[in-house]
Structures are given as structure tokens and as C-alpha cells.
Amino acid sequence: MRNVLGTAGLLGSVSVAFSSMFWSQQKTDSTPESSDTPSSDTNSGSTYELKLVQVLFRHGARTPLKSIPDVMEAQWVPTLLEPPPHTHINYTVTDLQGGPRPPAPVEDNYRKNILSGGTFPGQLTTLGMQQLYELGQRLRRKYVEDRAFLSPIYSPDEVYVRSTNIVRTIESAKCLVAGLFQQKQKETVPILTTEGETEILYPNYYGCKLLKILCSHRWAESSTLPGIAADLQSIQSALGIAAHQRVDFILIRDDMVARETHGLPNPPVLNSWKNTVEQRAVDMMYHIFDPSKKENLQLCVGPLLEVLGENIEKKLQGISSESDRKLFLYSVHDTTLIPCLMALGIFDMRWPPYAADITLELHQNRQTSEAFVKVSYAGQDQLIPGCSGVYCPLQEFKQVLSAHSLSSELYRSRCNNPEGRTEI
């Protein structure tokens, strides 16, 4: 079994890049029509009040994780990674309790290799930083300027920022906050992270033995599926990749899209293969995560879905010691968004672009206290299967989450008992 299922290897081969040129999301037509629906949330005269926003967002454009073997390499020079001045803020990286940043074996693994041109694999580029800054600007327009939901200056009482312990996601979080608050801050921004064994912001093959067993089987199987295998053999031949080289569509696509996004040349033969590479990479991921098997998605994103649900409950019940908190930001990966979209029933078989976001808004009726959750993906409202409307009554939304969410105790119990696994 290739090392993609190790800590860094999994993120290195599966957490891959995709530019927005390949992606478009259909906006649902199921928007509320009644004036009694939660459409203007923060006006004092509105029936409904926006209470909480949670955003899962993918990092921005980056250097590739590995170059396609036996083809002309792009030059990934250090000037492609220079931070724009407007993305600077004062921030610190801590563990979840506010202590020192934990060790980062995934990042350490990236830095064992150097790409042609002199940079490390998997690093956020200037373009990627700008993409997250612009996402922050979009959130500012929505939650600061249009709705006056957030203060115009960063406040740790209002905003919680958590990232995977990888430089590109940490820097992405920093750039988003810079855009959201236009570099206005009275206090240093803490970006919280955790060690690899307990990470829940991506499918954790290192920390969950059962997930590694389930997905290693399906990963090995995905490249041998008849259509995928035939296309892979054809593209290897067309590119002149030696038969002994271990490549798959995810690796090819990662390098191809990273080059295109940054205006760097691809092997000309790839021009006629772009659509096939994209579709086959998605087909592989769909087979690996396999949403028809509930256990897969539970182990991939169950603990994260549980946290999102808990944040909603704590806000409504007022039991959190941080009752003023209005925004949770989670800096994650495409391999986080894909299984989350699958669990919510809204994955459209297209790869999430750089800086894509899943946003959950909690609204509450001021008179009846009835609560609703609205989900958007890349800025477009979504009708979640199992919900009676885009503004999903909380009980319906909790039912949707419950199909795949897992408490931390149950997650650990299942992860550490691979002998009791279900059919794979």
C-alpha cells in the first residue's frame, strides 16, 4: 500500500488543488417567499435574528504536492509565495488550550522535498493568500456592512479561529481574518490547532485505525476500476510516463491545476485530457469516501459535524462561557469539504475550488424562539435533503446531522476497534 495513508502522505496525495474554472455551483430556487421567513436577520424590527455563523473553508491556491513524473517540471520560485502587505495581521498559533503550537509532522514531511524552482510542496502562494483575503472581504460585506452582525474590528470574544496544523491552512486563516476585519484589531488573533492524533478537521487516517482500514481498501481499489484503469493507462502513455511510476488521476490533476492556476505551462498533451483528469479524480474520491456506506463518512467527518451541532446548541441554550461568540472559522482542506458535502447530501461531483466555503447560519424567531439553519456552499444557498426549506427548521437539521455525526467518545471507540468494522 502506497504511503498516501500515512499522516502526511494522505494529505499529500488526496488533499489536492482545484481551480474555479472547473467548478460551478447551482443556486437553489427554494428560497423563502414569505415575509415571515428569516430574510432580514439583524434589523431590530425583524422577526428573526441571526445568532451564529460557522464557516468551513478550504485553503487558497498552493504549490503542488508532487510533480507529475517524467514530464517537464514547472518552476515554483520563491517570488510566487510573497505575502501581500494587506494580508498582514498580528496572530499567534496555539494548541486548543492556548498553549504552544503542537508538533507538525505533516508540514515537516512536506519540507523534506523541494520542488523545481526552490520552494516546498503544498505551500500557500501569493494568489492563494489573495483568494482568502477576498473570501474575508465577502464575509465582511455580508456580516459587517450589510447586516451589522459582527463588529468592524476583530474581537476574540466574537470570533473563534481554528486551523489544521499545516502552514497553508494557518496562513489562509490569517488572510481571511485580514480581509474580514481589514487588518483592524485591538488584540492578537489566536489561531488554534491540535496535534495529528486528535485532529478532526480532516479524515484522520493517522489517528483512526478503522478509517485507515476502510479507506486503504477503497483507495487501492479505485485505480483498478475498469474505466479509471483504462484511462490512466492511456494518459500515462500519452504523457510518456514510465510504466513503473506510481501515478493516479489525483496526482496528475494536482500538478496540472496548480500550474494552470498560476499561469505556468503544462505538458501540451494535457490540454485534451483536462476534463477526463478532472472527472476521474472525482470518481476516485467518490469511491474512496463512498457516501452509500454510512460508516465511512461518520469516521471522516463525524466528530466535526458533532462540534458544529454542539456550537449551535450551546448558542441557543446560552450555556457557553463564551456567550458573545458569533463566528466560528475552521481552516480546512478539500478532503474536509468533500465528505461534509456528501454527508449533507449536496455534493455535486465537482471538486471544491480553492477558498470554497461551507457556511452554516443559525437564525432564531424573536417571538417563538424557533430556530432555523441555513447552509450555503461557495456563497450559494443550498436546499439540504431532509429539510423542508432552505431555512431548515433546527429539528430537521439536527436529524440530518445525526445520520453521520459522532461524539468524541464513540469516535475513539470505533477507531480503536478495527476488528469490529463493518463490511468494506
Side-chain angles (χ1 to χ4, degrees), residues 217-377:
H217 169 82
R218 304 196 66 78
W219 179 278
E221 192 177 62
S222 65
S223 290
T224 67
L225 298 175
I228 293 177
D231 283 344
L232 183 60
Q233 187 175 16
S234 295
I235 195 172
Q236 279 195 246
S237 176
L239 288 170
I241 301 173
H244 71 273
Q245 295 281 12
R246 286 191 168 186
V247 296
D248 56 40
F249 281 108
I250 293 175
L251 183 155
I252 294 170
R253 180 183 169 282
D254 182 36
D255 192 15
M256 178 186 78
V257 173
R259 295 187 195 212
E260 280 194 343
T261 303
H262 295 91
L264 298 173
N266 265 309
V269 71
L270 271 181
N271 290 332
S272 62
W273 279 93
K274 286 194 294 187
N275 291 339
T276 301
V277 169
E278 161 63 17
Q279 190 56 56
R280 289 310 191 188
V282 172
D283 290 343
M284 286 184 66
M285 292 300 291
Y286 192 85
H287 185 79
I288 292 165
F289 289 135
D290 192 3
S292 70
K293 292 183 168 57
K294 178 178 176 179
E295 186 172 36
N296 280 17
L297 293 184
Q298 283 184 320
L299 295 176
C300 285
V301 292
L304 175 55
L305 297 179
E306 182 82 1
V307 167
L308 298 178
E310 287 176 351
N311 290 342
I312 290 173
E313 288 296 330
K314 289 178 181 177
K315 187 66 177 181
L316 290 173
Q317 296 172 16
I319 60 175
S320 173
S321 59
E322 300 154 333
S323 57
D324 292 334
R325 185 151 287 157
K326 296 181 177 181
L327 176 66
F328 286 84
L329 297 172
Y330 297 99
S331 187
V332 298
H333 304 263
D334 45 11
T335 48
T336 316
L337 297 188
I338 290 173
C340 281
L341 292 169
M342 290 179 175
L344 292 171
I346 55 174
F347 183 56
D348 65 352
M349 296 299 289
R350 296 176 186 271
W351 209 283
Y354 299 122
D357 68 290
I358 301 173
T359 296
L360 279 64
E361 294 180 353
L362 172 66
H363 303 259
Q364 190 171 29
N365 185 299
R366 297 178 192 272
Q367 281 75 45
T368 68
S369 296
E370 183 182 4
F372 299 83
V373 175
K374 181 164 74 73
V375 177
S376 63
Y377 176 45

Side-chain angles (χ1 to χ4, degrees), residues 11 16 74 263 275 281 302 332 395:
L11 285 170
V16 298
N275 291 339
V332 298
Q395 291 307 312

Side-chain angles (χ1 to χ4, degrees), residues 122-196:
Q123 302 306 300
L124 192 69
T125 61
T126 305
L127 175 59
M129 297 171 197
Q130 181 64 27
Q131 289 172 327
L132 267 298
Y133 181 84
E134 290 175 2
L135 175 58
Q137 287 182 306
R138 171 159 70 81
L139 296 177
R140 180 180 180 84
R141 286 192 295 271
K142 188 171 186 180
Y143 299 117
V144 176
E145 297 171 0
D146 294 347
R147 301 189 183 183
F149 176 66
L150 295 172
S151 302
I153 299 175
Y154 165 79
S155 166
D157 293 332
E158 282 191 347
V159 182
Y160 173 95
V161 187
R162 177 171 172 178
S163 171
T164 62
N165 193 14
I166 299 172
V167 169
R168 66 176 174 273
T169 48
I170 292 169
E171 291 182 343
S172 291
K174 180 261 292 188
C175 293
L176 185 152
V177 173
L180 174 55
F181 295 104
Q182 296 295 287
Q183 299 178 290
K184 295 181 174 67
Q185 58 183 125
K186 294 181 179 178
E187 300 181 53
T188 298
V189 178
I191 300 177
L192 280 60
T193 188
T194 190
E195 65 275 9

Side-chain angles (χ1 to χ4, degrees), residues 30-102:
S30 303
T31 51
E33 296 180 357
S34 168
S35 60
D36 249 355
T37 55
S39 54
S40 58
D41 319 284
T42 53
N43 297 332
S44 58
S46 171
T47 303
Y48 293 89
E49 179 183 7
L50 178 61
K51 301 289 289 185
L52 183 69
V53 178
Q54 302 183 79
V55 186
L56 306 172
F57 57 94
R58 188 189 174 197
H59 57 77
R62 55 160 172 74
T63 60
L65 301 168
K66 186 179 290 187
S67 297
I68 303 170
D70 298 338
V71 303
M72 173 190 67
E73 293 189 19
Q75 297 300 303
W76 295 96
V77 296
T79 53
L80 291 171
L81 276 61
E82 293 177 354
H86 55 269
T87 64
H88 173 74
I89 61 169
N90 295 321
Y91 73 100
T92 184
V93 182
T94 74
D95 66 15
L96 298 183
Q97 289 73 45
R101 179 186 175 185

